[in-house]
């Protein structure tokens, strides 16, 4: 018989939020440590950790009164919090798009000149940074996938645009490598080693 799979962190977070939405009350930690295992299947040892993660993400409010800590989150408050976070994500995406546009222009200029140097290396490094930023924003969007369908659909389109931009930059790098090989006889492996290009660099699906 296979062992029953435990809940993931996100599943625990979602179930704990259900407690706040369903009860519409204010709780102390010890109360949640009794309710969550019994009603939501969250292990007692992880209740405090999950609760703190929700507080850190501003999804649950916390207030110390006297010597006791109290926690709460009402449905209306959760909607406002999620809308605020989605607004922050949208702002981050706009900033990312502008930076990508600026760097895209620089890549096109480098492609025209076909000159090897520090500028191309800097563009390659910037490409890596943008890929990490894209991954972070994509993860953030997935985290809030239950918030607003229309906003999330827009985020998916923007992510698709980011992927297309990254693939264009990747194509430019391949073009530079091919040009150097044809013009100077520089092997692809040597190019990758000298200019810090990952040999496994490929298009994003």
């Amino acid at each position: 018989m296979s062992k029953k799979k435990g809940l993931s962190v996100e599943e625990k977070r979602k179930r704990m939020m259900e407690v706040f939405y369903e009860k519409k009350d204010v709780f102390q930690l010890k109360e949640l440590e009794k309710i969550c295992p019994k009603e939501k299947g969250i292990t007692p040892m992880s209740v405090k950790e999950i609760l703190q993660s929700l507080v850190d993400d501003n999804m649950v409010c916390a207030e110390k009164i006297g010597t006791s800590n109290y926690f709460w989150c009402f449905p209306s408050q959760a909607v406002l919090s999620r809308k605020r976070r989605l607004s922050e994500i949208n702002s981050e995406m706009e900033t990312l798009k502008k930076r990508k546009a600026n760097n895209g222009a620089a890549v096109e200029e480098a492609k025209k000149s076909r000159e090897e140097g520090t500028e191309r290396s800097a563009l390659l490094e910037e490409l890596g940074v943008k890929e990490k930023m894209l991954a972070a924003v994509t993860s953030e969007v997935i985290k809030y996938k239950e918030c607003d369908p229309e906003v999330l659909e827009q985020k998916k389109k923007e992510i698709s645009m980011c992927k297309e931009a990254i693939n264009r930059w990747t194509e430019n790098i391949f073009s530079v490598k091919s040009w150097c090989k044809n013009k100077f006889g520089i092997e692809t492996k040597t190019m990758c080693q000298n200019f810090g290009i990952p040999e496994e660099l490929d298009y994003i699906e």
Side-chain angles (χ1 to χ4, degrees):
M1 183 180 293
S2 60
K3 186 177 180 181
K4 184 178 180 181
K5 183 180 180 181
L7 298 174
S8 67
V9 172
E10 283 306 315
E11 288 173 329
K12 292 177 182 178
R13 284 164 56 93
K14 181 179 178 181
R15 293 192 181 191
M16 186 174 291
M17 289 303 298
E18 290 176 355
V19 172
F20 286 105
Y21 296 158
E22 294 167 2
K23 304 291 185 182
K24 297 183 177 65
D25 203 350
V26 179
F27 302 95
Q28 289 184 279
L29 175 60
K30 61 182 179 181
E31 294 173 319
L32 291 171
E33 288 177 333
K34 292 180 180 179
I35 296 172
C36 291
K38 182 179 179 181
E39 298 186 13
K40 299 298 180 180
I42 303 173
T43 57
M45 294 296 292
S46 64
V47 170
K48 183 177 180 179
E49 179 183 354
I50 297 301
L51 177 60
Q52 187 59 52
S53 73
L54 294 173
V55 172
D56 292 340
D57 288 343
N58 296 316
M59 296 178 68
V60 171
C61 294
E63 186 71 34
K64 185 172 184 179
I65 302 176
T67 59
S68 301
N69 291 309
Y70 295 89
F71 306 90
W72 72 92
C73 179
F74 302 118
S76 59
Q77 175 188 338
V79 171
L80 291 175
S81 177
R82 287 179 174 179
K83 285 185 176 180
R84 182 172 61 253
R85 182 54 188 155
L86 283 172
S87 177
E88 293 173 356
I89 293 174
N90 188 53
S91 178
E92 292 174 4
M93 289 290 290
E94 287 300 320
T95 300
L96 183 59
K97 286 170 61 179
K98 290 179 181 178
R99 293 185 64 184
K100 284 181 179 295
N102 292 335
N103 284 287
V107 169
E108 289 301 320
E109 186 64 27
K111 184 179 179 181
K112 291 178 182 178
S113 63
R114 297 290 191 180
E115 293 180 358
E116 291 297 320
T118 57
E119 184 178 0
R120 195 194 62 77
S121 298
L123 289 173
L124 180 61
E125 181 178 354
E126 188 69 20
L127 171 61
V129 172
K130 293 299 177 294
E131 288 178 331
K132 291 180 181 179
M133 293 177 68
L134 173 61
V137 174
T138 302
S139 176
E140 194 73 15
V141 170
I142 293 175
K143 181 178 178 182
Y144 291 91
K145 63 182 178 181
E146 298 179 357
C147 299
D148 189 332
E150 293 183 2
V151 173
L152 292 176
E153 185 62 30
Q154 180 62 30
K155 295 295 172 291
K156 290 179 181 179
K157 292 180 180 178
E158 292 173 353
I159 288 173
S160 178
M161 291 174 60
C162 289
K163 287 182 178 179
E164 290 177 3
I166 288 175
N167 284 335
R168 285 199 300 272
W169 295 354
T170 300
E171 175 66 25
N172 290 337
I173 291 173
F174 286 161
S175 296
V176 171
K177 288 165 63 177
S178 177
W179 181 80
C180 289
K181 182 176 182 179
N182 295 332
K183 182 74 174 181
F184 303 107
I186 302 175
E187 292 298 326
T188 298
K189 185 174 182 180
T190 302
M191 278 282 295
C192 291
Q193 292 175 344
N194 290 339
F195 293 97
I197 303 174
E199 291 189 36
E200 66 274 14
L201 177 67
D202 203 349
Y203 299 101
I204 295 178
E205 296 295 333

